[in-house]
Amino acid sequence: MHQLPPCPTQLYIDGEWRAPHSGRSFDVVDPATGEVIAQVADGDLNDGQAAAHAAAAALPDWSATPPRTRAEVLRKVHALMIERLEPLAKIITLENGKPLADSRAEVRYAAEFFRWYSEEACRNLGSVSHAPAGGYRILVQHQPIGVVVLVTPWNFPAAMGTRKIAPALAAGCTVLVKPAGMTPLSMLALADLLAEAGVPKGVVNIVPTTKSGALVDMWLHDPRVRLVSFTGSTEVGQKLIKAAADQVLKTPMELGGNAPFLVLDGANVKDAVDGAMIAKMRNMGEACTAANRFYAGDAVCDAFTAEFVKRMQALRIGHGLDENNQVGSLVDEPTRKKVDELVQDAVQRGARILCGGKKVPGPGHFYEPTVLGDVPLDARILKEEVFGPVAPIVRVKGGADDMVKHANDTEYGLTAYLYSADLAQGLKIAERLEFGMVAVNRGLVSDPAAPFGGVKQSGLGREGAAEGMHEYMETKYIAVTW
């Protein structure tokens, strides 16, 4: 059994570690071995109410705290996360399954949101203008929205929390965090760093629970709550939006994705494969931004496929804490089962397995890095998120117009990737793609300085950049006569 670095396992409410009201706990399991690595406090509605009271009580002072003071606190959190990078990365690997290199990258990315929003906290700029009719001035200010609920997923257990917490704190809000039940440790580990950096009691409250639906629903019907931010599946997001409608809450959400990866004729094959390996294999494909379906031009398809297969076959599979391994365990058996079902469906419809295509026997939830060729357009794997290390490739003979048509043929619209030797062509195609984010000639789109989010059923609002902080603010207009 691998040793978990020191990590709190109780509820974090009003700046204190508390035992749950019920006295119950739940197991957190290493997905690579099936072994229990921790028992975490199982919060209930009583704990949720206590957290809401704490957040509401802390709101007036925190929202009135000068932006520069809030900024300095966030900057210290960034420094502490970088200082504690190794134990934080090991916690992610042990509860999530991803390779240690991926976990280290996640910690750096997660920490960067605190540095970015330490800078944005002081840029809450309003405006003053003359009323067109004359006689008065129009003042516009941006104020913190209030107490906010943050529901985070299991696939990036640190970064998806900090991407919400940092802008909320920069804006002057107080927060209620419900981390994913499979991966609560990363958020709990963050709490002590927040306190050490100077975040006041009650500003951040973290309540892991096995009763997510009931707890979050209670929060969404608390009149002191004004916003819910969620990252996860479209299906769950739709339920939260319906519940949020009862109080007309603001609902920034990052939901499902079905990212296309376009390789246009004439594109540099090596560069395209380099990008494909990042876009597909980051977190073993367990990401809403992961490249889910590959469309390659007829002239470049064979070379791209051959090189992609070669690179995927060379990846080493095993426990994420082993530095030699590049492919860790998927998070649980239902996830692996869904991956295998999509692969088998594609094969039954005529696709060819070019490498991989099987579960790895033994403990854990490992799946071989897989490339599928000759994938028919009616295969489920082109319509549903695969959330695993599988790359289905479609040969496109009709040129860029057909690629755009195939890429847009989805209810999702989070991320798209394209490779083209002609930058002007690439930019024109990017504008035609119905996605909130497009990566041109690169395999990574996420950046704290960029507005992250989707269109259609991939979500509402944006995270990151200046837009990310504005999600946690209300715009107030004041008419002044002078």
Side-chain angles (χ1 to χ4, degrees):
M1 180 176 178
H2 294 90
Q3 186 66 39
L4 181 73
C7 181
T9 57
Q10 292 185 302
L11 310 178
Y12 187 71
I13 298 174
D14 202 17
E16 299 176 349
W17 292 108
R18 299 187 183 182
H21 180 269
S22 67
R24 292 191 295 267
S25 62
F26 62 92
D27 294 340
V28 178
V29 175
D30 178 352
T33 64
E35 297 173 330
V36 174
I37 57 172
Q39 291 186 317
V40 170
D42 190 358
D44 63 12
L45 298 187
N46 293 290
D47 301 310
Q49 287 179 339
H53 292 329
L59 179 63
D61 285 347
W62 182 246
S63 62
T65 298
R68 177 65 69 192
T69 302
R70 295 199 298 263
E72 286 303 304
V73 171
L74 298 182
R75 184 188 60 77
K76 291 175 184 176
V77 179
H78 168 266
L80 288 170
M81 290 188 71
I82 297 303
E83 179 185 312
R84 318 274 169 84
L85 186 146
E86 281 301 312
L88 291 174
K90 289 178 180 177
I91 290 171
I92 293 173
T93 290
L94 283 169
E95 68 175 348
N96 170 275
K98 68 181 67 176
L100 196 53
D102 274 10
S103 295
R104 291 185 182 119
E106 179 179 346
V107 175
R108 294 187 188 97
Y109 177 56
E112 194 62 28
F113 284 102
F114 286 106
R115 178 158 65 173
W116 173 261
Y117 284 107
S118 73
E119 299 163 348
E120 285 298 304
C122 298
R123 297 177 186 149
N124 175 20
L125 306 179
S127 64
V128 179
S129 62
H130 288 270
Y136 68 98
R137 300 294 189 270
I138 295 172
L139 276 67
V140 178
Q141 297 179 339
H142 306 287
Q143 298 179 328
I145 197 169
V147 177
V148 302
V149 172
L150 311 179
V151 184
T152 63
W154 52 261
N155 57 343
F156 289 90
M160 297 303 95
T162 64
R163 194 161 73 183
K164 301 177 190 299
I165 294 171
L169 298 191
C173 297
T174 56
V175 306
L176 303 168
V177 183
K178 202 295 293 178
M182 287 189 288
T183 58
L185 298 173
S186 295
M187 275 295 91
L188 293 173
L190 178 65
D192 280 337
L193 275 63
L194 294 170
E196 187 175 341
V199 175
K201 293 182 177 182
V203 171
V204 175
N205 305 274
I206 305 172
V207 184
T209 181
T210 58
K211 300 176 179 60
S212 299
L215 175 66
V216 174
D217 188 71
M218 183 193 73
W219 280 343
L220 299 194
H221 290 89
D222 187 317
R224 298 168 295 188
V225 169
R226 297 309 314 147
L227 174 150
V228 55
S229 176
F230 169 70
T231 297
S233 71
T234 296
E235 292 75 17
V236 174
Q238 289 169 333
K239 293 178 181 178
L240 292 177
I241 291 170
K242 290 178 181 177
D246 290 340
Q247 286 208 109
V248 196
L249 303 184
K250 197 172 184 181
T251 55
M253 296 193 177
E254 188 248 297
L255 305 178
N258 188 13
F261 191 105
L262 282 56
V263 185
L264 278 65
D265 286 330
N268 184 297
V269 169
K270 180 184 179 302
D271 289 348
V273 173
D274 286 345
M277 293 299 296
I278 297 170
K280 176 71 266 181
M281 294 305 294
R282 184 172 174 238
N283 199 32
M284 294 88 68
E286 293 177 312
C288 294
T289 56
N292 204 58
R293 49 207 171 102
F294 292 76
Y295 300 103
D298 189 38
V300 76
C301 188
D302 290 339
F304 173 78
T305 300
E307 183 62 22
F308 199 7
V309 169
K310 179 181 176 182
R311 294 280 297 276
M312 292 283 271
Q313 286 178 321
L315 296 175
R316 178 170 170 171
I317 306 168
H319 198 290
L321 289 185
D322 184 335
E323 299 273 10
N324 294 314
N325 294 331
Q326 299 146 304
V327 181
S329 171
L330 298 181
V331 73
D332 62 7
E333 191 55 31
T335 298
R336 183 169 72 162
K337 181 179 179 181
K338 173 72 178 297
V339 170
D340 195 54
E341 284 179 357
L342 293 177
V343 169
Q344 299 311 317
D345 172 80
V347 171
Q348 290 170 11
R349 295 174 190 268
R352 294 184 299 119
I353 296 177
L354 305 180
C355 69
K358 299 190 298 295
K359 298 178 182 179
V360 177
H365 314 293
F366 297 93
Y367 199 88
E368 295 177 338
T370 302
V371 179
L372 303 176
D374 300 329
V375 179
L377 294 176
D378 64 348
R380 285 175 55 199
I381 202 167
L382 299 180
K383 306 296 183 182
E384 305 174 29
E385 279 190 287
V386 65
F387 246 60
V390 179
I393 300 177
V394 177
R395 182 187 296 269
V396 180
K397 297 183 178 181
D401 287 343
D402 273 4
M403 281 195 184
V404 171
K405 179 182 177 181
H406 294 322
N408 289 339
D409 184 21
T410 175
E411 67 267 34
Y412 301 108
L414 186 60
T415 312
Y417 305 85
L418 72 90
Y419 274 76
S420 171
D422 183 341
L423 183 57
Q425 177 196 37
L427 292 174
K428 289 177 181 177
I429 292 174
E431 292 187 353
R432 295 170 60 192
L433 293 171
E434 298 169 354
F435 296 82
M437 301 175 288
V438 181
V440 179
N441 291 339
R442 59 181 285 110
L444 184 64
V445 70
S446 303
D447 191 310
F452 185 104
V455 299
K456 299 193 283 189
Q457 293 192 35
S458 284
L460 302 165
R462 293 295 181 268
E463 294 183 310
E467 290 89 339
M469 188 172 76
H470 289 159
E471 293 287 354
Y472 294 91
M473 310 193 86
E474 294 279 25
T475 298
K476 177 176 283 187
Y477 148 56
I478 303 172
V480 180
T481 298
W482 69 64

